[in-house]
Amino acid sequence: MCCACQRPATQSAEAPFPYQEADIAGLQARMAAGELDSVTLTDAYLRRIAELDRSGPTLRAVTELNPAARREAAQRDAERRAGHVRGPLHGMPVLLKDNIAATPMHNTAGSLALKGFRPGRDAFLVQRLRQAGAVILGKTNLSEWANFRSTRASSGWSAVGGQTRNPYALERNPCGSSAGSAVAVAANFAVVAIGTETDGSITCPAAINGIVGLKPTVGLVSRDGIIPISFSQDTAGPMTRSVADAALLLGAIAGRDEADPATAAMPGRAVYDYSARLRTDALRGARIGLLRSPLSERPEIGPVLAQAVAALRAAGAIVVETELPTEGQWEQDELTVLLHEFKAGLPRHLQQWQAPVTTLAGLIAFNREHAAQEMPFFGQELFEQAEAAGELNDPAYISARNNARRLAGPEGIDAALRADQLDALIAPTTGVAWRTTHGEGDDYPGGSYGAAAVAGYPSLSVPMGHADGLPLGLLFMGTAWSEPRLLELGYAYEQLTRARKPPTFASGKP
């Protein structure tokens, strides 16, 4: 985006936002000193959303505000005055992706079929957030059905929320499916946000919008109350402006839940005080594998990646080139797994939560009946393929699931880590943001997060730099339950580079 096409938002021109780029620790320090309270902070974010999301650059990141947000903030302030502070998230406004149940708001997955659906209770992770003292500010837009409706979908578009826009260049795409959560954090609409990922839906929008995104190990964060795609790969995770905030947010939402059997696999000490592990010297002596990737050869990415690797080495890391021995071999199996698990899991969830539509066939019929609103740009071929798929006892599904996990995990990431005795793998998260088009699908540059997604392993995207003013991310990947080490390495890298630059809002004109 050329400098002549940049135009600051009205609010920025008249008065800087007082909490621009504020982090949890800084805000808590101001609250402890009596200089700030949660109601004031919540009101400030609500005004900013009104001025920049609903008007001005019209980012369309937020689909619904919590009508009880100010009341929740006032309750947290009263607790603080009484000497009761629940923890580092006390009084912090948080936004949630609109596929996570949180009363009294709707939970739509971006679909008009669920527009009137108000779940009767909170998702488990929302219960955890409220127990930690967070204020639920509202819901964020997403690629409809978490981008599992059509192969020709435009990331960040839903019938409920419209098209979320990239705050660095309004005609560019924000990536998805957690588009609204990423844009909201980048644009300073909340302290932090929660996204969900099946394959790239946290890490890609985090990179594209210049923020931190952590996809945890499947089973570290409960999926109870989250509209599903795949029980093998789905997880929620933090989307923040700093690694330190991601560590604090992960500590609040992680934990065992009887409603999600995947959390039973969690090692006894998998939930840490992640913040206690953050050290600026964590890269000294670390062994890091730089994955060979076509992304690294792109002229807009290669020089930025070279600077990142130089920074890692200057901090004492040993960086060696490596590769995943099974790269790409799981892709067809992954689609088979997703189609079968979506067919089985979505109706079960809709029925348990008493949604207005409870079958995949019913959703397909709804979209056909409301095609002008639901399918103006692309169809629902993934829905139709899932409806035609077999059941979970289908040998094709069982074989695909076993193959995909093995090829991406033990024979992929684990094999690469073991071969060179590595602490983590790194690669460009994805390319730069592409121009948003409708009906043609995304001009997707590719991503490095697929192996971790399919294996159910963690991945962390941290701002790496910019190309022509558009953010790039560096992805850290490790084996299962390696979040403490990835956060440690990502934090040290972040402190070295300070690569995040907040957006000035573009005019949207080429």
Side-chain angles (χ1 to χ4, degrees), residues 221-293:
V221 178
S222 170
R223 285 85 58 87
D224 168 68
I226 300 175
I227 296 172
I229 293 175
S230 161
F231 55 78
S232 293
Q233 295 181 208
D234 290 350
T235 184
M239 305 188 78
T240 63
R241 288 183 292 274
S242 71
V243 176
D245 282 1
L248 288 171
L249 190 54
L250 181 63
I253 63 176
R256 283 190 172 89
D257 174 21
E258 291 182 1
D260 183 357
T263 65
M266 186 188 307
R269 299 190 61 231
V271 180
Y272 293 87
D273 178 356
Y274 297 101
S275 299
R277 292 285 298 266
L278 303 183
R279 300 181 295 114
T280 56
D281 64 350
L283 288 165
R284 188 177 304 136
R287 295 184 58 82
I288 296 174
L290 173 62
L291 288 173
R292 298 184 183 94
S293 165

XYZ file of all heavy atoms in Angstrom, residues 221-293:
531
model
N -7.304 -26.960 25.884
C -8.440 -26.056 26.094
C -9.709 -26.795 25.701
O -9.797 -27.347 24.599
C -8.285 -24.765 25.258
C -9.497 -23.860 25.443
C -7.002 -24.035 25.641
N -10.697 -26.795 26.578
C -11.950 -27.503 26.296
C -12.676 -26.906 25.099
O -12.729 -25.689 24.919
C -12.860 -27.440 27.527
O -14.156 -27.907 27.219
N -13.273 -27.783 24.278
C -14.108 -27.347 23.154
C -15.586 -27.283 23.514
O -16.425 -26.998 22.655
C -13.939 -28.306 21.970
C -12.639 -28.151 21.205
C -11.510 -28.939 21.827
N -11.787 -30.354 21.934
C -11.543 -31.258 20.951
N -10.996 -30.851 19.832
N -11.796 -32.534 21.134
N -15.956 -27.572 24.763
C -17.352 -27.490 25.183
C -17.915 -26.108 24.842
O -17.319 -25.088 25.182
C -17.446 -27.703 26.696
C -18.816 -27.350 27.248
O -19.787 -28.070 26.942
O -18.910 -26.334 27.971
N -19.058 -26.089 24.161
C -19.704 -24.833 23.821
C -19.187 -24.168 22.572
O -19.605 -23.053 22.244
N -18.280 -24.831 21.842
C -17.754 -24.293 20.588
C -18.370 -25.074 19.426
O -18.317 -26.310 19.406
C -16.218 -24.395 20.528
C -15.597 -23.614 21.681
C -15.697 -23.881 19.198
C -14.095 -23.757 21.778
N -18.960 -24.371 18.472
C -19.557 -25.029 17.312
C -18.436 -25.740 16.545
O -17.455 -25.115 16.144
C -20.290 -24.013 16.429
C -21.466 -23.404 17.219
C -20.795 -24.662 15.143
C -22.148 -22.243 16.535
N -18.554 -27.055 16.329
C -17.394 -27.832 15.888
C -17.261 -27.983 14.374
O -18.217 -27.847 13.623
C -17.664 -29.198 16.516
C -19.164 -29.320 16.457
C -19.695 -27.924 16.707
N -16.038 -28.305 13.968
C -15.752 -28.926 12.675
C -15.233 -30.333 12.939
O -15.803 -31.309 12.480
C -14.723 -28.120 11.854
C -15.307 -26.768 11.433
C -14.294 -28.918 10.606
C -14.307 -25.876 10.713
N -14.137 -30.436 13.725
C -13.439 -31.712 13.872
C -12.969 -31.907 15.300
O -12.222 -31.075 15.827
C -12.226 -31.743 12.930
O -11.291 -32.724 13.319
N -13.371 -33.021 15.919
C -12.867 -33.278 17.272
C -11.410 -33.699 17.260
O -10.752 -33.709 18.306
C -13.736 -34.298 18.016
C -13.937 -35.611 17.324
C -12.958 -36.582 17.331
C -15.129 -35.886 16.663
C -13.145 -37.800 16.699
C -15.329 -37.102 16.032
C -14.335 -38.062 16.043
N -10.858 -34.063 16.107
C -9.435 -34.384 16.020
C -8.559 -33.131 16.005
O -7.413 -33.175 16.458
C -9.136 -35.185 14.752
O -9.722 -36.459 14.795
N -9.076 -32.017 15.478
C -8.229 -30.857 15.225
C -8.707 -29.564 15.858
O -7.906 -28.632 16.026
C -8.071 -30.645 13.707
C -7.332 -31.771 13.021
C -7.145 -31.572 11.521
O -7.048 -32.535 10.761
N -7.089 -30.337 11.072
N -9.977 -29.433 16.210
C -10.488 -28.158 16.731
C -9.840 -27.788 18.056
O -9.645 -28.637 18.935
C -11.996 -28.237 16.983
C -12.820 -28.317 15.717
O -12.267 -28.120 14.623
O -14.040 -28.566 15.831
N -9.566 -26.508 18.234
C -9.178 -25.977 19.536
C -9.386 -24.475 19.524
O -9.363 -23.836 18.463
C -7.715 -26.292 19.887
O -7.445 -25.829 21.216
C -6.745 -25.644 18.943
N -9.613 -23.904 20.688
C -9.616 -22.455 20.862
C -8.247 -22.017 21.348
O -7.467 -22.821 21.874
C -10.688 -22.041 21.859
N -7.933 -20.732 21.160
C -6.648 -20.235 21.610
C -6.587 -18.729 21.668
O -7.458 -18.035 21.144
N -5.534 -18.193 22.294
C -5.379 -16.748 22.474
C -4.992 -16.025 21.189
O -4.200 -16.530 20.389
C -4.241 -16.637 23.490
C -4.097 -17.987 24.109
C -4.513 -18.949 23.047
N -5.516 -14.797 21.041
C -5.110 -13.869 19.994
C -4.867 -12.536 20.694
O -5.779 -11.928 21.256
C -6.175 -13.782 18.901
C -6.511 -15.151 18.318
S -7.581 -15.135 16.869
C -6.411 -14.666 15.579
N -3.615 -12.082 20.653
C -3.174 -10.982 21.502
C -2.169 -10.111 20.757
O -1.707 -10.459 19.674
C -2.521 -11.517 22.788
O -1.340 -12.259 22.439
C -3.462 -12.440 23.554
N -1.791 -9.001 21.382
C -0.768 -8.148 20.778
C 0.633 -8.479 21.269
O 1.609 -7.926 20.773
C -1.096 -6.671 21.050
C -2.276 -6.148 20.247
C -2.520 -4.674 20.484
N -2.985 -4.397 21.827
C -4.265 -4.440 22.201
N -5.201 -4.760 21.321
N -4.614 -4.177 23.441
N 0.752 -9.360 22.246
C 2.076 -9.727 22.763
C 2.072 -11.183 23.203
O 1.025 -11.743 23.536
C 2.459 -8.833 23.940
O 1.675 -9.137 25.081
N 3.249 -11.765 23.224
C 3.386 -13.143 23.697
C 3.072 -13.219 25.187
O 2.473 -14.198 25.659
C 4.797 -13.683 23.395
C 4.980 -15.074 23.983
C 5.041 -13.717 21.885
N 3.455 -12.211 25.946
C 3.165 -12.216 27.384
C 1.666 -12.284 27.637
O 1.202 -13.024 28.519
C 3.755 -10.971 28.037
N 0.872 -11.543 26.857
C -0.582 -11.599 27.019
C -1.135 -12.948 26.587
O -2.091 -13.459 27.185
C -1.252 -10.471 26.223
C -1.159 -9.124 26.935
O -0.568 -9.063 28.029
O -1.680 -8.131 26.386
N -0.541 -13.553 25.550
C -0.986 -14.887 25.133
C -0.745 -15.902 26.246
O -1.571 -16.789 26.494
C -0.257 -15.319 23.854
N 0.375 -15.780 26.932
C 0.683 -16.691 28.038
C -0.325 -16.534 29.172
O -0.802 -17.522 29.739
C 2.105 -16.430 28.542
N -0.655 -15.295 29.509
C -1.630 -15.060 30.576
C -3.010 -15.581 30.184
O -3.713 -16.199 30.993
C -1.708 -13.569 30.886
C -0.511 -12.971 31.613
C -0.615 -11.457 31.650
C -0.405 -13.529 33.027
N -3.415 -15.339 28.934
C -4.737 -15.772 28.485
C -4.819 -17.292 28.415
O -5.835 -17.886 28.814
C -5.041 -15.141 27.128
C -6.461 -15.282 26.588
C -7.499 -14.780 27.583
C -6.592 -14.525 25.263
N -3.760 -17.940 27.940
C -3.757 -19.398 27.896
C -3.879 -19.987 29.298
O -4.621 -20.959 29.509
C -2.494 -19.911 27.218
C -2.399 -21.438 27.092
C -3.507 -21.992 26.208
C -1.030 -21.860 26.559
N -3.189 -19.399 30.250
C -3.272 -19.895 31.620
C -4.673 -19.830 32.186
O -5.064 -20.656 33.016
N -5.461 -18.853 31.720
C -6.832 -18.713 32.207
C -7.781 -19.720 31.589
O -8.701 -20.203 32.254
C -7.334 -17.290 31.928
N -7.594 -20.065 30.316
C -8.590 -20.897 29.633
C -8.234 -22.375 29.610
O -9.104 -23.214 29.349
C -8.845 -20.401 28.191
C -7.587 -20.500 27.331
C -9.398 -18.982 28.206
C -7.808 -20.124 25.863
N -6.983 -22.741 29.859
C -6.582 -24.149 29.801
C -7.099 -24.901 31.023
O -7.213 -24.345 32.110
C -5.063 -24.259 29.717
N -7.408 -26.172 30.835
C -7.812 -26.989 31.967
C -8.712 -28.147 31.581
O -9.340 -28.142 30.524
N -8.771 -29.137 32.453
C -9.579 -30.328 32.206
C -11.065 -30.015 32.316
O -11.490 -29.198 33.140
C -9.224 -31.439 33.195
C -7.931 -32.160 32.869
C -7.764 -33.413 33.751
N -6.619 -34.192 33.314
C -5.382 -34.018 33.744
N -5.130 -33.078 34.626
N -4.399 -34.776 33.306
N -11.844 -30.712 31.491
C -13.294 -30.535 31.481
C -13.922 -31.881 31.143
O -13.633 -32.459 30.091
C -13.682 -29.474 30.436
C -15.174 -29.325 30.254
O -15.929 -29.724 31.165
O -15.592 -28.803 29.195
N -14.781 -32.364 32.005
C -15.421 -33.660 31.760
C -16.249 -33.663 30.486
O -16.475 -34.725 29.896
C -16.298 -34.035 32.958
C -15.511 -34.355 34.222
C -16.420 -34.760 35.367
O -17.651 -34.800 35.162
O -15.900 -35.044 36.466
N -16.698 -32.499 30.051
C -17.515 -32.432 28.836
C -16.691 -32.595 27.568
O -17.267 -32.789 26.489
C -18.291 -31.114 28.798
N -15.375 -32.507 27.653
C -14.510 -32.680 26.482
C -13.494 -33.771 26.790
O -12.490 -33.528 27.468
C -13.796 -31.379 26.126
C -12.947 -31.515 24.861
O -12.867 -32.626 24.297
O -12.370 -30.497 24.427
N -13.719 -34.993 26.304
C -12.811 -36.107 26.615
C -11.370 -35.863 26.194
O -10.457 -36.466 26.768
C -13.425 -37.280 25.832
C -14.863 -36.904 25.615
C -14.875 -35.415 25.489
N -11.149 -34.986 25.199
C -9.772 -34.730 24.767
C -8.923 -34.161 25.886
O -7.707 -34.364 25.920
C -9.762 -33.789 23.564
N -9.542 -33.452 26.834
C -8.758 -32.852 27.910
C -8.255 -33.897 28.906
O -7.366 -33.606 29.706
C -9.562 -31.777 28.665
O -10.680 -32.381 29.329
C -10.064 -30.696 27.722
N -8.807 -35.089 28.862
C -8.343 -36.156 29.755
C -6.939 -36.613 29.395
O -6.241 -37.214 30.223
C -9.305 -37.331 29.710
N -6.508 -36.344 28.151
C -5.164 -36.750 27.726
C -4.085 -35.798 28.213
O -2.895 -36.070 28.054
C -5.116 -36.826 26.198
N -4.488 -34.698 28.826
C -3.543 -33.695 29.269
C -2.608 -34.255 30.342
O -3.074 -34.817 31.328
C -4.340 -32.508 29.827
C -3.528 -31.301 30.200
S -4.588 -30.096 31.051
C -5.933 -29.935 29.877
N -1.289 -34.102 30.188
C -0.380 -34.518 31.262
C -0.670 -33.747 32.541
O -1.199 -32.636 32.507
C 1.007 -34.157 30.699
C 0.816 -34.076 29.225
C -0.590 -33.597 29.005
N -0.317 -34.318 33.646
C -0.660 -33.725 34.936
C -0.180 -32.313 35.123
O -0.819 -31.516 35.800
N 0.968 -31.962 34.505
C 1.518 -30.623 34.688
C 1.510 -29.844 33.386
O 2.341 -28.959 33.167
C 2.937 -30.695 35.243
C 3.011 -31.375 36.609
C 4.375 -31.216 37.249
N 4.695 -29.808 37.480
C 5.834 -29.229 37.098
N 6.742 -29.927 36.458
N 6.062 -27.969 37.359
N 0.548 -30.133 32.517
C 0.501 -29.419 31.237
C 0.032 -27.985 31.406
O 0.365 -27.122 30.609
C -0.417 -30.144 30.251
N -0.768 -27.700 32.433
C -1.236 -26.339 32.667
C -0.262 -25.670 33.629
O -0.192 -26.009 34.805
C -2.668 -26.325 33.236
C -3.125 -24.895 33.476
C -3.611 -27.027 32.272
N 0.492 -24.734 33.100
C 1.531 -24.063 33.857
C 1.132 -22.611 34.123
O 0.202 -22.078 33.527
C 2.841 -24.034 33.057
C 3.496 -25.373 32.833
C 3.134 -26.162 31.749
C 4.493 -25.823 33.681
C 3.752 -27.386 31.521
C 5.120 -27.041 33.464
C 4.746 -27.813 32.381
O 5.358 -29.021 32.162
N 1.923 -21.964 34.985
C 1.960 -20.514 34.991
C 2.882 -20.144 33.830
O 4.100 -20.016 33.992
C 2.501 -19.995 36.330
C 2.599 -18.469 36.350
O 2.323 -17.841 35.319
O 2.965 -17.919 37.408
N 2.284 -20.065 32.644
C 3.096 -19.884 31.441
C 3.943 -18.621 31.518
O 5.059 -18.570 30.997
C 2.191 -19.844 30.213
C 1.440 -21.133 29.983
C 0.102 -21.250 30.365
C 2.053 -22.230 29.407
C -0.593 -22.436 30.171
C 1.369 -23.420 29.208
C 0.044 -23.513 29.598
O -0.636 -24.693 29.412
N 3.424 -17.588 32.161
C 4.146 -16.318 32.239
C 5.462 -16.462 32.997
O 6.435 -15.753 32.706
C 3.283 -15.266 32.927
O 2.103 -15.052 32.193
N 5.495 -17.364 33.965
C 6.708 -17.539 34.765
C 7.862 -18.066 33.931
O 9.031 -17.959 34.347
C 6.431 -18.471 35.939
N 7.560 -18.655 32.772
C 8.603 -19.232 31.919
C 9.202 -18.225 30.942
O 10.174 -18.543 30.247
C 8.014 -20.405 31.128
C 7.641 -21.614 31.955
C 8.864 -22.412 32.382
N 9.599 -22.931 31.242
C 9.423 -24.147 30.721
N 8.544 -24.972 31.264
N 10.127 -24.556 29.693
N 8.637 -17.020 30.857
C 9.074 -16.079 29.823
C 10.386 -15.420 30.225
O 10.488 -14.790 31.272
C 7.988 -15.025 29.585
C 6.615 -15.577 29.191
C 5.653 -14.424 28.910
C 6.703 -16.511 27.994
N 11.406 -15.572 29.364
C 12.737 -15.026 29.622
C 13.278 -14.397 28.357
O 13.145 -14.957 27.270
C 13.707 -16.134 30.073
C 13.313 -16.860 31.338
C 14.361 -17.910 31.709
N 14.452 -18.977 30.722
C 15.508 -19.231 29.948
N 16.583 -18.461 30.019
N 15.496 -20.241 29.100
N 13.908 -13.256 28.477
C 14.476 -12.606 27.295
C 15.681 -13.362 26.752
O 16.041 -13.194 25.577
C 14.886 -11.165 27.616
O 15.800 -11.167 28.726
C 13.668 -10.316 27.970
N 16.325 -14.203 27.590
C 17.515 -14.936 27.130
C 17.202 -16.382 26.740
O 18.110 -17.210 26.647
C 18.600 -14.912 28.203
C 18.180 -15.640 29.484
O 16.990 -15.995 29.617
O 19.054 -15.850 30.349
N 15.933 -16.688 26.504
C 15.532 -18.075 26.250
C 16.100 -18.638 24.954
O 16.156 -19.864 24.779
C 14.008 -18.176 26.223
N 16.532 -17.782 24.044
C 17.069 -18.271 22.772
C 18.519 -18.736 22.890
O 19.006 -19.452 22.013
C 16.961 -17.178 21.705
C 15.538 -16.895 21.213
C 15.483 -15.580 20.452
C 15.040 -18.036 20.329
N 19.195 -18.344 23.957
C 20.611 -18.715 24.093
C 20.743 -20.231 24.207
O 20.213 -20.856 25.119
C 21.216 -18.039 25.324
C 22.736 -18.220 25.425
C 23.306 -17.481 26.620
N 22.954 -16.065 26.562
C 22.524 -15.368 27.600
N 22.344 -15.949 28.771
N 22.250 -14.090 27.461
N 21.394 -20.837 23.228
C 21.597 -22.280 23.209
C 20.440 -23.078 22.656
O 20.546 -24.307 22.537
N 19.337 -22.420 22.315
C 18.194 -23.142 21.756
C 18.530 -23.652 20.359
O 19.208 -22.974 19.581
C 16.976 -22.235 21.697
N 18.042 -24.836 20.042
C 18.246 -25.426 18.716
C 16.923 -25.339 17.957
O 15.909 -25.902 18.396
C 18.711 -26.874 18.837
C 20.084 -27.021 19.482
C 20.540 -28.478 19.498
N 20.598 -29.057 18.166
C 21.607 -28.905 17.306
N 22.665 -28.182 17.647
N 21.571 -29.464 16.113
N 16.958 -24.625 16.851
C 15.743 -24.315 16.105
C 15.915 -24.763 14.660
O 16.943 -24.480 14.028
C 15.432 -22.805 16.170
C 15.139 -22.408 17.618
C 14.259 -22.443 15.272
C 14.961 -20.932 17.827
N 14.906 -25.463 14.142
C 14.944 -25.941 12.766
C 14.168 -25.014 11.842
O 12.973 -24.791 12.049
N 14.826 -24.460 10.843
C 14.184 -23.626 9.831
C 13.669 -24.531 8.722
O 14.455 -25.139 7.993
C 15.175 -22.611 9.273
C 14.697 -21.771 8.079
C 13.489 -20.915 8.464
C 15.841 -20.900 7.550
N 12.356 -24.649 8.624
C 11.760 -25.540 7.636
C 11.907 -24.978 6.230
O 11.645 -23.786 5.995
C 10.281 -25.754 7.944
C 9.952 -26.616 9.162
C 8.457 -26.585 9.431
C 10.422 -28.046 8.947
N 12.306 -25.833 5.308
C 12.319 -25.435 3.907
C 10.872 -25.260 3.448
O 10.029 -26.121 3.672
C 13.025 -26.483 3.057
C 14.486 -26.677 3.448
C 15.197 -27.652 2.533
N 16.571 -27.863 2.979
C 16.963 -28.848 3.769
N 16.071 -29.738 4.192
N 18.210 -28.969 4.134
N 10.596 -24.130 2.813
C 9.227 -23.803 2.439
C 9.225 -22.935 1.193
O 10.063 -22.022 1.065
C 8.538 -23.054 3.583
O 7.348 -22.436 3.155
